Amino acid sequence: ETGVTQTPRHLVMGMTNKKSLKCEQHLGHNAMYWYKQSAKKPLELMFVYSLEERVENNSVPSRFSPECPNSSHLFLHLHTLQPEDSALYLCASSQTPAGVNDGYTFGSGTRLTVV
Amino acid sequence: AQSVSQHNHHVILSEAASLELGCNYSYGGTVNLFWYVQYPGQHLQLLLKYFSGDPLVKGIKGFEAEFIKSKFSFNLRKPSVQWSDTAEYFCAVNGAGAQKLVFGQGTRLTINP
């Protein structure tokens, strides 16, 4: 384990479902991130939270809705997704925003399949 | 805007061969540079990082990378690869003051025994 825990590991959902991805870190980090990893594409930054405040929303469709209730937890709420949203969703955390001097610690990801 | 380019999409080598994976970035100011590795079925792990000082940085498992500012490059090297180095490798850059890491598309490395 890396210190960043993501649940569930796998998720299959229909296009009309609503589900949530959860990320938890107990590293004392102040920043958390959601990335999308699709085959043959760069990791796409979705959202950045610093000290529980969203500091970046990288043109992500509104069917993805993040929530950061405290510095240890980050959620990604999903609704009315499309098949092209199927991907590995990665959560990461860092001591400081952008991981200056320490980089990011990544979770193992949630493999999402939209049917 | 920052961008990172990894020109090698899939590299296949035999054990004991030398490795060099290319990484070029686009950003005009001060940068922090990283290489991450993702072994099959595992999470992304930090291999090495450059912030300042000696442009040749050494990381875990015998990897090293050289920052060449004039070429906007941060290539990853290993003199003798092992089968266990089979993984996907990602270069990432963070411009000073930016609150995010930008990743390249990754290079899949396959080492044949």
Side-chain angles (χ1 to χ4, degrees), chain A residues 10-83:
Chain A
H10 301 273
L11 178 63
V12 179
M13 60 185 289
M15 289 190 282
T16 58
N17 291 160
K18 289 185 180 181
K19 296 286 184 183
S20 296
L21 310 185
K22 180 181 177 182
C23 177
E24 187 172 354
Q25 61 93 4
H26 295 289
L27 301 169
H29 288 173
N30 293 316
M32 297 184 78
Y33 313 84
W34 280 116
Y35 277 87
K36 177 183 178 182
Q37 186 177 21
S38 305
K40 300 181 181 179
K41 293 177 70 175
L43 271 76
E44 301 171 52
L45 178 66
M46 300 176 72
F47 299 104
V48 179
Y49 275 83
S50 176
L51 297 171
E52 303 150 47
E53 183 178 331
R54 190 191 310 180
V55 296
E56 181 143 349
N57 173 353
N58 216 29
S59 302
V60 179
S62 60
R63 57 186 184 269
F64 295 91
S65 174
E67 179 189 2
C68 187
N70 55 62
S71 59
S72 299
H73 294 86
L74 184 65
F75 295 90
L76 188 63
H77 304 299
L78 317 171
H79 65 98
T80 59
L81 294 192
Q82 304 298 310

Side-chain angles (χ1 to χ4, degrees), chain B residues 62-80:
Chain B
F63 286 91
E64 64 179 31
E66 185 175 12
F67 170 49
I68 303 179
K69 188 175 182 180
S70 61
K71 295 185 178 180
F72 297 89
S73 70
F74 190 56
N75 291 354
L76 181 70
R77 299 195 294 248
K78 185 170 183 177
S80 177

Side-chain angles (χ1 to χ4, degrees), chain B residues 18-41:
Chain B
S18 64
L19 169 72
E20 181 160 2
L21 301 183
C23 173
N24 287 91
Y25 66 91
S26 170
Y27 186 77
T30 303
V31 291
N32 302 308
L33 297 156
F34 305 82
W35 275 97
Y36 283 84
V37 61
Q38 188 173 33
Y39 297 104

Side-chain angles (χ1 to χ4, degrees), chain B residues 16 18 23 29 38 51 58 63 78 80 82 87 92 95 99 101-102 109:
Chain B
S18 64
C23 173
Q38 188 173 33
F51 300 122
K58 296 190 184 299
F63 286 91
K78 185 170 183 177
S80 177
Q82 301 171 303
Q99 296 193 33
L101 271 183
V102 175
L109 176 65

